[in-house]
Each structure stands twice: as structure tokens, then as C-alpha cells.
Amino acid sequence: MMLAAREMQLLFKNFLDTTADVHAGLIATQYYNLGDNYEQYVSYFDSLALKWLHLKPNNPYLHGLIAEIEEFKNFIPIRSVAPEINLPSTAGDTIALNQIKAKLILIDFWASWCAPCRAENKNTVLPLYEKYHNKGFEVFGVSVDSDRKKWTQAIEKDDYQWIQVIEIDNSTTSKVKTLYKIHQIPTTYILDENRIVLAKNLRGSQLEDFVKAFFEE
């Protein structure tokens, strides 16, 4: 099934790259998935929108796609100050983002029920934390769990050693999810010591390369 899914994505990309039917292309964008590389997603769809704009300059759905792309690029943009987060920790006290003193801070939005989140934390974030924490690397885990017990059990089972806070997930009251416009997880932000955003949504080897370059250059 995974092989079939990959083949389907290749077919979608080939169609998007070659179609002159803007309306059909816009429909296809809803099904094409670049995985977790949001920056690549924005760049690719930006190029498609520019190409299609020459073909159908007055298409309202195309202008909707362009607006969505611009919103993503300009929302908490690189070099802006990350909004404050102030939430209860596993110990029950409240921890604020501005209290964290570190040279490099990774904000990690995740949940115990999110398998990709836990895999990324185990395979990428934990090794980075163990290697670079003493050099000034800190992780600020922000859970969107709806069950506090499952959240703490996941932290204990997976041996997360970094700061963890939670805002019990409720789509009508979640201030942090709204503040950071979290539509899916995992979502990450990388900040410097002054809470300036350096990068967004890096995962896997991209995250490893960024942290390594920051501390070892």
C-alpha cells in the first residue's frame, strides 16, 4: 500500500507539472502531498501558481491558493519574535517560553497519540538533545493532548528529558494552537536565545543538519 501511495503521488506531480487545465490542477493540489517538508511545499506550489496565473489570471480559486501560500510565508515569519507560550508543565507549575535560557530552542508541538511525532522525537530530537544540550540546545515540548495521563505516560515511556508543557486540546478554546496556527502535528519552530525564529518545520535529517551546523560551525 505504501508503494502504491508513492506511485500515486508521482502521478499527481507529473500531472501538476504538465497540465494546462488550471481548474483540474487546483483540484489535484488537494491530493498531492510533499510529506513533512512544508518549505518545499510552499516553494513548489508557489511556482505552480505563478505558471497558472499566466493561463488563468482571473480564476478565483487560483487566487485563493496564492492567498493561502502568502499567509503561510508571512505567518510568524523567519526573523520575527516567537509569540509567548505560558503553560503548565508535568510538575504542575507554569513555564513560559521567555523563561528558557538557551542558545538554540526547538519548540515541538506534538501529542501522545501522534505516531509521527513520537517517532521523530525518539529518532531525531532525543539524540540531538543528548548531544547538544550541554552546549546550549533546549527543547520546549508543547502537547496538544486531550488526556493529561496519556501525555505523561508517553513522556515517561519514550524517556523525553526536555521541558514539557500542555494545553489540553479543545478546538474551541486552545489559545496556543490558534496563536501558532497549528493545523497538524508535528510542527516545529527553531529560535535563537532572543526567541527570534530561525527556521520552521524542520524534521529528520534537515533538523539534524541545522542543529549540527549551529553548534559546530
Side-chain angles (χ1 to χ4, degrees):
M1 290 183 66
M2 291 181 65
L3 178 60
R6 285 196 292 269
E7 290 177 349
M8 181 64 73
Q9 290 302 308
L10 289 174
L11 290 173
F12 273 123
K13 187 175 188 306
N14 182 64
F15 178 77
L16 289 167
D17 286 342
T18 58
T19 185
D21 187 331
V22 175
H23 188 70
L26 287 165
I27 294 173
T29 62
Q30 303 300 310
Y31 300 95
Y32 181 56
N33 178 18
L34 278 168
D36 302 312
N37 193 332
Y38 297 96
E39 302 301 330
Q40 183 182 347
Y41 172 93
V42 171
S43 177
Y44 179 62
F45 277 70
D46 214 1
S47 67
L48 285 177
L50 182 62
K51 178 179 69 174
W52 290 342
L53 196 60
H54 290 293
L55 299 173
K56 295 287 184 180
N58 298 317
N59 186 297
Y61 301 105
L62 176 55
H63 283 279
L65 174 64
I66 293 170
E68 184 178 343
I69 292 169
E70 290 303 312
E71 180 184 31
F72 181 91
K73 289 194 292 187
N74 294 316
F75 184 76
I76 312 182
I78 304 300
R79 293 183 294 278
S80 67
V81 178
E84 179 65 295
I85 299 174
N86 199 317
L87 291 172
S89 71
T90 50
D93 58 332
T94 298
I95 299 178
L97 177 60
N98 65 14
Q99 292 177 284
I100 299 175
K101 307 301 179 185
K103 294 179 180 178
L104 191 69
I105 303 166
L106 172 68
I107 305 178
D108 172 36
F109 289 91
W110 74 290
S112 64
W113 47 261
C114 172
C117 300
R118 294 180 67 170
E120 174 72 3
N121 283 337
K122 178 180 179 181
N123 298 324
T124 304
V125 179
L126 182 56
L128 286 173
Y129 184 84
E130 291 175 339
K131 186 173 183 179
Y132 294 107
H133 178 60
N134 289 337
K135 295 184 177 181
F137 179 53
E138 187 58 83
V139 182
F140 191 53
V142 182
S143 171
V144 296
D145 272 282
S146 57
D147 188 317
R148 184 181 178 89
K149 183 177 181 180
K150 290 182 179 179
W151 168 59
T152 56
Q153 287 175 337
I155 293 171
E156 183 177 353
K157 181 178 180 179
D158 295 347
D159 193 29
Y160 299 157
Q161 303 166 29
W162 50 86
I163 299 167
Q164 294 284 352
V165 297
I166 187 171
E167 179 177 52
I168 296 298
D169 185 25
N170 183 313
S171 59
T172 61
T173 62
S174 179
K175 295 180 181 179
V176 170
K177 283 181 68 176
T178 300
L179 187 63
Y180 278 80
K181 200 169 287 189
I182 304 300
H183 296 302
Q184 62 184 50
I185 53 174
T187 293
T188 61
Y189 287 82
I190 298 180
L191 320 178
D192 69 7
E193 59 189 345
N194 297 312
R195 289 176 34 221
I196 302 299
V197 178
L198 303 179
K200 299 189 287 184
N201 289 312
L202 298 184
R203 293 180 60 192
S205 60
Q206 289 185 323
L207 178 59
E208 291 171 343
D209 291 345
F210 187 96
V211 176
K212 181 180 178 179
F214 185 89
F215 286 107
E216 297 185 8
E217 277 190 345

